[in-house]
Amino acid sequence: MTVKLVVLYTQPDDPDAFDEHYLGVHGPLVEQIPGVLRWEGARFVEAADQGETTYHRVAEIWFEDMETLESALATDEGKATARDYGKIAPPGSRMFIAQVD
Amino acid sequence: MTVKLVVLYTQPDDPDAFDEHYLGVHGPLVEQIPGVLRWEGARFVEAADQGETTYHRVAEIWFEDMETLESALATDEGKATARDYGKIAPPGSRMFIAQVD
């Protein structure tokens, strides 16, 4: 059953500097993680419910199943990506695992 | 440029009853919206950051561009889906528009 890691980044102090690192450094790290089926990043442009623009970005990384996801995060490439996440994620950013319908 | 509507549902009182309606009624409404490239629903199973399991579900609906998304939401099918969202979304649920990288 397909699962995905869903990451929600809150608003950084400098969104453009964040995106430069995100697209130039973080994305390439994600691409090196073994077992990744595909991944997608997106930048929020609007709160469609007229609420707060709580998050700056969402990223999703799809894996074949939970075992593959867990193994992937335990690899050197997974750990390097997690370290970079720790460096860039603004306070309040979140990371979840979801089972795709 | 591909855009997507990203919906985050907070925890419902009865997750299984929520999912029954979500998969049986809400999903089919989404599928009738004109201009939808694809959509994906997923149920959160874990907070990978050891934080709160703030959300129960995430749904994404992809469109070719912002104009198509806006037109889609203004159709009868888009409005029917929004009405159903209003009925089922637990308080604190969020809806955003994001530009895919």
Side-chain angles (χ1 to χ4, degrees):
Chain A
M1 235 170 173
T2 309
V3 296
K4 58 183 176 182
L5 194 68
V6 181
V7 185
L8 294 164
Y9 294 95
T10 53
Q11 297 295 343
D13 293 333
D14 184 339
D16 291 327
F18 181 91
D19 278 18
E20 198 184 323
H21 181 100
Y22 185 78
L23 297 169
V25 177
H26 197 74
L29 287 172
V30 170
E31 277 159 24
Q32 285 167 37
I33 303 173
V36 169
L37 281 182
R38 63 192 178 91
W39 80 285
E40 180 177 280
R43 181 170 171 156
F44 289 111
V45 291
E46 200 181 312
D49 56 10
Q50 321 303 330
E52 266 186 71
T53 51
T54 318
Y55 303 110
H56 171 57
R57 281 191 158 271
V58 57
E60 291 169 296
I61 313 175
W62 285 265
F63 296 90
E64 203 168 288
D65 52 36
M66 190 65 88
E67 290 68 32
T68 311
L69 183 155
E70 284 168 357
S71 306
L73 299 186
T75 61
D76 288 346
E77 294 86 351
K79 287 179 195 163
T81 309
R83 269 196 305 276
D84 193 61
Y85 169 84
K87 273 195 271 184
I88 64 172
S93 297
R94 298 301 314 273
M95 196 188 289
F96 300 102
I97 296 167
Q99 194 165 291
V100 177
D101 292 332
Chain B
M1 232 171 174
T2 309
V3 296
K4 58 183 177 181
L5 194 69
V6 180
V7 185
L8 294 165
Y9 294 96
T10 52
Q11 299 293 344
D13 293 334
D14 183 339
D16 290 327
F18 181 92
D19 277 19
E20 197 182 323
H21 180 99
Y22 185 79
L23 297 170
V25 176
H26 196 75
L29 287 172
V30 171
E31 277 160 22
Q32 285 167 38
I33 303 174
V36 169
L37 282 182
R38 64 192 178 89
W39 80 284
E40 180 177 281
R43 181 170 172 156
F44 289 111
V45 291
E46 200 180 312
D49 56 9
Q50 322 303 330
E52 266 187 70
T53 52
T54 316
Y55 303 109
H56 172 55
R57 279 190 159 272
V58 57
E60 289 170 296
I61 314 176
W62 285 264
F63 297 90
E64 203 168 289
D65 52 36
M66 190 65 89
E67 293 67 32
T68 312
L69 182 154
E70 283 167 359
S71 306
L73 299 187
T75 60
D76 288 347
E77 293 86 351
K79 288 178 193 164
T81 308
R83 270 197 303 279
D84 193 61
Y85 169 82
K87 273 196 272 185
I88 63 171
S93 296
R94 299 301 313 273
M95 196 188 289
F96 300 100
I97 296 168
Q99 195 166 288
V100 176
D101 291 330

